[in-house]
C-alpha cells in the first residue's frame, strides 16, 4: 500500500489526496523544511527560514519534484461520435481509460471512482493558495495543511493537480477523440493544457484553477474563497476593472475554466452531457409571497406546505419586496428591494408553523415582518422570498476528493465540483477573455485574448488584437432562434470552446441550449456560460447565452478568478 504525504509538525496531518510510492514527504514548521525520506536518504527542498519569494521558489521545486516522481505516462482517451454520425451523448473509453469506472458522489454516498484508487495520479488534486504572474498564470504559494494556507483574507483558493497534456482530435469524419496524459507524448500530438503554459511557452509542472465562483472577500476584492456570496452583476466590461484591482495578471477566468470540466467529464464520465452526471443549480427558481402576514419581526419566512416541499435546507434565498414598474409590481432580482430583508442567505431549517404553513428559518441576525410595503397610494408589494445562487463552498462537503454534489446530483438544486473546481451555482459565468461579433447571417465570430494580452473593451480594436478561433453558427433554419447544442469545437491553444453543430434535444449530443441572440446582424456580445437558476435541461456545461452586450451586468451574471 502507498504511504501518505504527511506534514511533520506538533500534530501530524495526513493529506490523503497525495499518496506516494517510495517514501514520505514531510513539512517541518520548526525549520521551514520540506523533505522526502525514502528510507535511504533525506532529500531536502526547503532550507532554513528565508525570504518569502525564496520560500515560494523552493515550494515550487518541491512540487515539481513530487509530480515528476508521480508521472506514469498513461494515456486516457474517450471516443465520441460526431453528432451527424450518431447523436448519442455517450462515449467509449480507450487506452488507459478503458474499463475505469466513475460515479459521482455526494456528502453521504460514495460513488465508485477508479481514478482515485492510487493508480492514476494525474487525477489527484489538492487545495492551494495561489497568485498570478503578470501574464495571468497561476502559481502556488501554500498547500492545504501548511501553516500559511488560508481560506479567508487577501488570498485566492484554487485546486492543483499535476500539469497534463491533451488533444481534441476531430480529424476523423465519423468520430472525435479526446485524449489526456500526464506526459507529452509528442508522437500522439498532445499539447500542454493552456492553464499550464506561460506566455513565453514555459510548461509548468502544475495545473491550477480557481476553486470557487468569486465573491467579495474581507479585503473588498473578488476572491475565490469558500463561504462567500457570489458577486452578482458581473460583465465583460466591469470584470476588467474589478479583477485588475488585484494586480496586473488578474482579469478573471476565461473559457478554459469551463472547458476544463467538459474535458474531465468526457474522460471520466464518458459523456458530452454534463447533466447526465450532475445537474447543478438549475431547478431552483421561485418567488413565493409570504403565506402569513405578521407585524412582528422574526427570522423566518412563512410558506405554504406545498411550497415548503420545494425547498431544501442549506440552499439560499433572498427576502424583500417588489418595485413600482408603471403601475405594476415588478419582482426583478436585479433590484436591491427584492433583497431588502435578507440577501442571498442560507435556509437553516423548515418547521411547522400551523396546519397549512411552514416557517423557513434563515441565517440572519435581524428579523423582518411580512406586512406588505406601500409603493404608491394605489399599489403595494407583498413580501417575497426568492431563490438565489448557492454560496461558494457548497461542494466542500462532498466525500473525499470525489466529483459530485452535496445531497443529490440529480435534484437540480446543488452545485457540483469536477477535479475540485465548483460549477453551476445558479448563475451564468462570464468569460473574461472571450467575446463574440455578430455576423450578417446571425452567426457569431469568436475572439479570445491570448495569455498575456491585456483585455480591452474597444470593439474597433478587438478584431486586430484578439485571436479569432471560430464561429458560433446561427440556427440551422437561418432565423437566428435558439438551438440545441449537438457538438462543440475548441481551440487547443487558448482553451476556448464554442457550440459548432446544432443538435435536436436535451437528451442527445451535449444537450444544452445555445441562445442565439436573435436577428441582429452586427455588434459584439459577451460570453455567458452554463445557465442559471431556472435553466433546467437547457443549462449545462455547453450552454451559451449570446444576447448580452459587454456591459450587460444582470443579477444572474457571475465571474470566477
Amino acid at each position: 500500500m502507498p504511504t501518505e504525504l504527511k506534514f511533520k509538525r506538533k500534530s501530524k496531518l495526513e493529506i490523503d489526496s497525495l499518496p506516494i510510492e517510495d517514501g514520505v514527504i514531510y513539512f517541518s514548521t520548526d525549520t521551514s523544511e520540506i523533505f522526502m525520506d525514502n528510507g535511504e536518504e533525506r532529500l531536502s527542498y526547503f532550507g532554513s527560514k528565508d525570504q518569502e519569494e525564496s520560500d515560494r521558489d523552493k515550494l515550487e521545486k518541491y512540487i515539481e519534484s513530487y509530480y515528476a516522481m508521480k508521472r506514469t505516462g498513461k494515456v486516457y482517451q474517450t471516443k465520441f461520435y460526431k453528432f451527424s454520425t450518431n447523436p448519442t451523448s455517450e462515449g467509449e473509453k480507450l487506452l488507459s481509460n478503458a474499463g475505469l469506472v466513475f460515479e459521482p458522489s455526494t456528502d453521504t454516498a460514495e460513488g465508485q471512482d477508479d481514478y482515485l484508487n492510487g493508480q492514476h495520479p494525474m487525477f489527484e488534486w489538492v487545495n492551494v493558495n495561489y497568485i498570478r504572474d503578470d501574464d495571468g498564470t497561476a502559481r502556488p504559494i501554500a498547500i492545504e495543511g501548511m501553516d500559511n494556507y488560508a481560506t479567508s483574507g487577501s488570498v485566492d483558493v484554487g485546486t492543483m493537480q499535476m500539469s497534463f497534456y491533451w488533444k481534441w482530435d476531430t480529424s476523423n469524419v465519423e468520430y472525435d477523440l479526446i485524449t489526456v496524459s500526464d506526459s507529452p507524448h509528442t508522437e500522439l500530438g498532445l499539447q500542454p493544457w493552456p492553464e499550464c503554459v506561460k506566455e513565453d511557452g514555459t510548461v509548468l509542472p502544475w495545473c491550477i484553477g480557481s476553486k470557487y465562483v468569486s465573491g467579495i472577500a474581507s479585503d473588498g476584492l473578488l476572491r475565490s474563497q469558500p463561504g462567500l456570496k457570489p458577486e452578482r452583476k458581473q460583465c465583460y466590461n466591469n470584470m476588467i476593472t474589478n479583477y485588475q484591482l488585484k494586480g496586473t495578471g488578474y482579469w478573471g477566468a476565461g473559457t478554459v475554466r469551463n472547458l476544463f470540466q467538459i474535458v474531465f467529464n468526457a474522460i471520466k464520465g464518458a459523456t458530452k452531457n454534463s447533466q447526465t452526471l450532475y445537474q447543478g443549480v438549475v431547478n431552483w427558481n421561485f418567488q413565493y409571497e409570504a403565506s402569513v402576514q405578521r407585524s412582528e419581526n422574526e427570522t423566518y419566512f412563512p410558506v405554504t406546505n406545498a411550497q415548503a416541499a420545494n425547498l431544501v435546507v442549506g440552499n439560499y434565498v433572498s427576502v424583500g419586496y417588489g418595485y413600482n414598474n408603471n403601475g405594476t409590481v415588478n419582482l426583478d432580482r436585479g433590484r436591491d428591494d427584492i433583497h431588502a430583508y435578507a440577501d442571498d442567505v442560507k435556509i437553516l431549517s423548515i418547521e411547522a408553523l400551523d396546519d397549512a404553513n411552514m416557517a423557513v428559518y434563515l441565517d440572519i441576525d435581524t428579523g423582518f415582518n411580512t406586512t406588505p410595503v406601500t409603493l404608491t397610494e394605489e399599489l403595494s408589494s407583498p413580501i417575497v422570498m426568492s431563490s438565489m445562487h448557492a454560496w461558494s463552498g457548497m461542494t466542500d462537503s462532498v466525500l473525499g476528493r470525489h466529483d459530485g454534489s452535496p445531497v443529490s446530483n440529480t435534484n437540480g438544486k446543488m452545485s457540483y465540483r469536477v477535479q475540485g473546481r465548483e460549477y453551476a451555482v445558479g448563475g451564468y459565468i462570464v468569460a473574461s477573455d472571450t467575446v463574440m461579433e455578430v455576423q450578417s447571417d446571425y452567426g457569431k465570430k469568436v475572439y479570445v485574448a491570448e495569455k498575456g494580452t491585456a483585455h480591452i473593451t474597444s470593439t474597433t480594436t478587438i478584431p486586430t488584437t484578439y485571436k479569432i478561433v471560430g464561429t458560433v453558427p446561427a440556427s440551422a433554419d437561418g432565423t437566428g432562434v435558439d438551438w440545441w447544442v449537438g457538438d462543440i469545437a475548441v481551440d487547443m491553444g487558448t482553451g476556448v470552446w464554442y457550440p459548432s453543430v446544432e443538435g435536436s434535444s436535451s437528451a442527445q449530443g451535449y444537450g444544452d441550449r445555445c441562445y442565439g441572440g436573435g436577428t441582429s446582424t452586427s455588434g459584439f456580445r459577451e460570453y455567458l456560460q452554463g445557465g442559471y437558476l431556472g435553466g433546467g435541461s437547457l443549462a449545462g456545461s455547453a450552454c451559451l447565452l449570446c444576447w448580452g452586450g459587454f456591459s450587460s451586468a444582470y443579477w444572474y451574471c457571475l465571474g470566477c478568478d
Side-chain angles (χ1 to χ4, degrees):
M1 294 294 290
T3 54
E4 304 296 330
L5 177 70
K6 299 181 181 179
F7 291 107
K8 190 176 183 181
R9 57 200 340 180
K10 292 181 179 179
S11 60
K12 292 182 179 180
L13 174 66
E14 293 194 0
I15 307 297
D16 295 334
S17 60
L18 287 177
I20 63 174
E21 300 292 341
D22 301 316
V24 181
I25 294 178
Y26 292 98
F27 171 72
S28 171
T29 56
D30 295 329
T31 63
S32 290
E33 185 176 22
I34 291 181
F35 61 89
M36 186 181 79
D37 183 354
N38 62 11
E40 298 179 357
E41 58 179 336
R42 177 164 144 161
L43 307 175
S44 180
Y45 296 104
F46 259 48
S48 59
K49 290 184 180 295
D50 207 345
Q51 295 181 352
E52 184 174 316
E53 290 185 2
S54 178
D55 284 351
R56 289 175 183 171
D57 289 341
K58 292 170 184 176
L59 176 62
E60 290 179 10
K61 290 178 181 178
Y62 147 69
I63 293 170
E64 181 178 11
S65 298
Y66 177 78
Y67 282 148
M69 180 176 63
K70 296 292 292 179
R71 295 184 190 274
T72 66
K74 293 178 180 179
V75 179
Y76 305 85
Q77 188 176 80
T78 305
K79 171 183 174 181
F80 291 100
Y81 284 108
K82 296 182 187 295
F83 188 85
S84 59
T85 301
N86 184 337
T88 181
S89 300
E90 297 180 1
E92 177 187 2
K93 295 186 177 186
L94 304 173
L95 305 180
S96 298
N97 210 27
L100 296 181
V101 176
F102 168 77
E103 298 171 344
S105 297
T106 69
D107 56 337
T108 58
E110 184 175 24
Q112 182 177 343
D113 188 350
D114 292 347
Y115 298 88
L116 296 179
N117 64 8
Q119 304 304 308
H120 310 281
M122 199 200 94
F123 299 90
E124 297 167 1
W125 57 270
V126 293
N127 294 322
V128 297
N129 294 139
Y130 66 90
I131 56 174
R132 294 195 180 275
D133 292 343
D134 286 351
D135 69 356
T137 306
R139 201 171 279 281
I141 58 172
I143 302 172
E144 186 175 22
M146 296 175 63
D147 284 346
N148 61 334
Y149 174 79
T151 57
S152 61
S154 298
V155 298
D156 285 295
V157 177
T159 61
M160 181 178 73
Q161 59 191 75
M162 67 173 65
S163 56
F164 63 95
Y165 300 79
W166 75 306
K167 186 175 183 179
W168 190 291
D169 185 356
T170 62
S171 60
N172 191 282
V173 296
E174 294 186 346
Y175 59 81
D176 299 336
L177 295 172
I178 301 175
T179 308
V180 299
S181 176
D182 61 19
S183 302
H185 286 290
T186 54
E187 77 279 6
L188 299 177
L190 304 190
Q191 298 180 21
W193 179 250
E195 291 175 309
C196 308
V197 187
K198 288 186 60 60
E199 180 186 8
D200 63 6
T202 302
V203 180
L204 299 171
W206 57 76
C207 175
I208 296 175
S210 58
K211 185 175 179 68
Y212 305 109
V213 170
S214 294
I216 300 297
S218 60
D219 63 359
L221 300 177
L222 288 169
R223 296 286 185 186
S224 172
Q225 294 178 4
L228 295 182
K229 177 177 65 179
E231 183 66 4
R232 303 187 291 266
K233 300 182 180 180
Q234 299 302 295
C235 68
Y236 174 78
N237 278 355
N238 69 28
M239 286 176 69
I240 294 175
T241 301
N242 295 341
Y243 284 94
Q244 280 283 281
L245 294 173
K246 295 164 64 174
T248 302
Y250 293 85
W251 301 98
T255 44
V256 68
R257 188 182 188 275
N258 189 66
L259 183 61
F260 181 89
Q261 66 154 322
I262 292 174
V263 167
F264 279 92
N265 287 341
I267 295 297
K268 295 194 293 187
T271 184
K272 299 177 179 180
N273 189 336
S274 61
Q275 290 194 331
T276 63
L277 300 173
Y278 5 69
Q279 292 282 304
V281 184
V282 297
N283 188 28
W284 180 247
N285 188 29
F286 59 79
Q287 290 186 300
Y288 294 150
E289 296 182 12
S291 62
V292 176
Q293 292 186 16
R294 66 167 188 269
S295 57
E296 301 81 16
N297 291 335
E298 303 285 355
T299 60
Y300 71 84
F301 185 89
V303 297
T304 67
N305 291 344
Q307 292 169 340
N310 298 323
L311 305 180
V312 177
V313 172
N315 272 33
Y316 293 82
V317 296
S318 285
V319 177
Y321 48 87
Y323 73 99
N324 175 20
N325 183 21
N326 296 321
T328 62
V329 177
N330 188 301
L331 301 179
D332 183 1
R333 289 179 175 88
R335 299 273 300 193
D336 292 341
D337 304 347
I338 207 70
H339 312 282
Y341 296 159
D343 188 351
D344 199 349
V345 301
K346 183 184 290 188
I347 297 175
L348 296 179
S349 65
I350 303 173
E351 303 175 12
L353 189 59
D354 55 40
D355 290 343
N357 299 282
M358 303 287 283
V360 181
Y361 283 91
L362 306 177
D363 188 12
I364 55 177
D365 295 325
T366 303
F368 56 89
N369 63 62
T370 58
T371 304
V373 172
T374 300
L375 302 179
T376 69
E377 291 183 359
E378 298 80 20
L379 187 68
S380 62
S381 171
I383 307 305
V384 174
M385 183 173 72
S386 304
S387 56
M388 289 304 297
H389 309 122
W391 281 31
S392 60
M394 174 179 277
T395 63
D396 288 352
S397 62
V398 174
L399 296 175
R401 286 291 192 258
H402 294 289
D403 294 354
S405 306
V407 183
S408 170
N409 287 297
T410 60
N411 68 3
K413 296 175 173 60
M414 301 289 166
S415 53
Y416 63 85
R417 75 181 184 198
V418 177
Q419 292 291 117
R421 303 189 193 189
E422 198 163 75
Y423 294 94
V425 303
Y428 286 95
I429 302 300
V430 183
S432 70
D433 62 353
T434 309
V435 299
M436 296 173 282
E437 183 181 17
V438 180
Q439 304 298 296
S440 59
D441 64 352
Y442 312 142
K444 315 289 185 299
K445 189 178 293 185
V446 181
Y447 296 91
V448 61
E450 296 180 89
K451 182 166 286 187
T453 300
H455 297 189
I456 55 178
T457 61
S458 170
T459 57
T460 59
T461 308
I462 283 175
T464 59
T465 306
Y466 286 15
K467 177 183 179 180
I468 300 173
V469 297
T471 300
V472 178
S475 57
D477 63 8
T479 63
V481 296
D482 306 335
W483 47 279
W484 292 104
V485 179
D487 277 323
I488 66 171
V490 306
D491 180 70
M492 288 187 58
T494 60
V496 174
W497 71 275
Y498 57 93
S500 60
V501 175
E502 185 167 337
S504 55
S505 75
S506 64
Q508 296 181 322
Y510 281 84
D512 302 329
R513 203 68 166 163
C514 178
Y515 295 95
T519 56
S520 297
T521 57
S522 63
F524 280 75
R525 301 288 183 268
E526 61 184 6
Y527 218 80
L528 297 178
Q529 311 164 99
Y532 85 116
L533 299 172
S537 63
L538 306 174
S541 63
C543 175
L544 182 66
L545 180 64
C546 305
W547 281 93
F550 286 0
S551 60
S552 297
Y554 300 109
W555 65 267
Y556 50 76
C557 297
L558 313 176
C560 298
D561 181 79

